[in-house]
Amino acid sequence: VDADQEALKDLEEVKSYILEELNCLELVTDNDEDKYIDYKCDPDNKEMGSVLKKKFDKKLKEQISKLSSDQLRSYLKDGHLMLGDIKIENGWLRVDKIFKESYQTNPDYGCASNLTTCALLQTKLDHNLKLLGQSREITNKIQRLRKSCGVSIEDQIEVYFEIQGDESPMLNEALDKHADEIRKKIKSPFLHRSSMQPRQVVIAEMSEEGLRVLICKPAVILDESKLPEGVNADVVRSYLNSFNPDAL
């Protein structure tokens, strides 16, 4: 939230980075500050008292405490402010932006602000957000497993999954809806274990919270119907799996 359109433009330019770092779905910018925040200020009592002397009295302090957001915006822009015949100089007021009480006390939001930045985070989780969160946790588990077995992001692998134990409707739904996103993040095939080839080489596997994940070497799909009579398909498959896929 910022009245400065240039500041909002700068945020839009790094939008993808912000979304990734904060693990958010959407970034919305708004220049209507009055909808979300109030400008507040505190006087520099020492500085103002030394300059204004007796003029820095209770009446002036009360006027300062009642300054509106528009007046404080003008003070920041112009570098001074007139209160009657008294000129409030630049630096005499410490100005901050503070979110309205309705946002600060709302359990569906988290907010933080200072003079340069005001951010409001919607924290209420609906069903879709829970599914997305679960899919991202699956992605993190795969990446941790990949790292633990020394497989880099450039290595060719195939990743398989299966749900173990009692059926988890939310886990099933997360995999159904977000499998493509997981596939893009891990930059590898992401398939159900039923799609694994016989005797496919497993590099690493893990089972956690009802989900089994297997990282495998890419497998050659063998058309057994084309093999000459008497040739053992398992032997041929094991032989082919011993090669680097790039060599085949």
Side-chain angles (χ1 to χ4, degrees):
V1 180
D2 202 310
D4 185 351
Q5 288 287 4
E6 286 300 315
L8 297 182
K9 183 180 178 182
D10 291 341
L11 287 173
E12 289 291 342
E13 289 179 357
V14 293
K15 180 176 181 177
S16 60
Y17 174 79
I18 294 173
L19 293 177
E20 183 176 353
E21 287 297 307
L22 297 182
N23 198 19
C24 292
L25 291 178
E26 186 178 11
L27 174 68
V28 178
T29 57
D30 198 330
N31 67 344
D32 186 3
E33 288 187 332
D34 290 334
K35 179 179 177 181
Y36 301 97
I37 64 172
D38 293 315
Y39 279 66
K40 301 291 184 181
C41 72
D42 290 310
D44 186 333
N45 293 314
K46 183 178 180 180
E47 179 69 17
M48 294 185 71
S50 65
V51 176
L52 297 177
K53 307 298 183 184
K54 292 183 178 181
K55 290 184 178 180
F56 188 49
D57 55 13
K58 184 178 180 180
K59 180 181 178 182
L60 181 58
K61 291 179 180 179
E62 186 175 353
Q63 285 181 293
I64 291 173
S65 69
K66 293 181 179 179
L67 288 171
S68 68
S69 293
D70 282 340
Q71 286 175 302
L72 289 173
R73 270 193 288 263
S74 297
Y75 170 73
L76 292 173
K77 180 181 178 181
D78 300 334
H80 65 272
L81 179 71
M82 296 301 300
L83 288 179
D85 61 348
I86 299 175
K87 185 178 182 180
I88 308 299
E89 297 287 359
N90 186 36
W92 287 7
L93 301 179
R94 294 186 291 270
V95 182
D96 266 323
K97 299 178 185 180
I98 300 174
F99 274 95
K100 294 181 182 293
E101 189 72 14
S102 58
Y103 289 106
Q104 293 190 48
T105 58
N106 192 325
D108 292 342
Y109 293 100
C111 54
S113 61
N114 55 34
L115 186 57
T116 58
T117 307
C118 298
L120 183 69
L121 185 66
Q122 184 177 340
T123 57
K124 183 178 181 180
L125 292 177
D126 59 20
H127 185 65
N128 287 330
L129 285 174
K130 290 178 181 178
L131 291 177
L132 183 60
Q134 189 153 34
S135 74
R136 292 188 175 184
E137 181 57 31
I138 293 170
T139 301
N140 291 336
K141 289 178 180 179
I142 294 170
Q143 303 292 44
R144 289 195 296 269
L145 181 61
R146 183 206 297 265
K147 184 177 180 180
S148 70
C149 64
V151 176
S152 73
I153 197 70
E154 292 82 16
D155 292 334
Q156 289 190 8
I157 59 170
E158 293 175 352
V159 181
Y160 297 91
F161 68 88
E162 69 174 344
I163 296 175
Q164 296 179 311
D166 296 334
E167 286 293 311
S168 171
M170 181 166 286
L171 183 56
N172 272 317
E173 191 176 354
L175 290 166
D176 286 342
K177 285 191 173 182
H178 298 292
D180 285 342
E181 183 178 344
I182 295 172
R183 195 172 293 115
K184 290 176 183 177
K185 290 287 186 181
I186 65 175
K187 297 181 179 179
S188 300
F190 182 64
L191 305 165
H192 191 272
R193 186 175 179 276
S194 59
S195 299
M196 283 182 65
Q197 297 299 304
R199 298 182 182 274
Q200 187 163 355
V201 178
V202 177
I203 302 172
E205 68 174 281
M206 58 150 285
S207 295
E208 189 176 308
E209 297 178 347
L211 179 70
R212 184 185 182 195
V213 174
L214 303 98
I215 293 179
C216 305
K217 288 185 177 181
V220 175
I221 298 176
L222 186 63
D223 187 349
E224 297 183 23
S225 66
K226 300 294 179 65
L227 292 176
E229 187 176 350
V231 175
N232 188 306
D234 287 340
V235 173
V236 175
R237 189 176 289 108
S238 295
Y239 176 71
L240 292 173
N241 282 339
S242 67
F243 286 89
N244 186 313
D246 291 337
L248 299 174

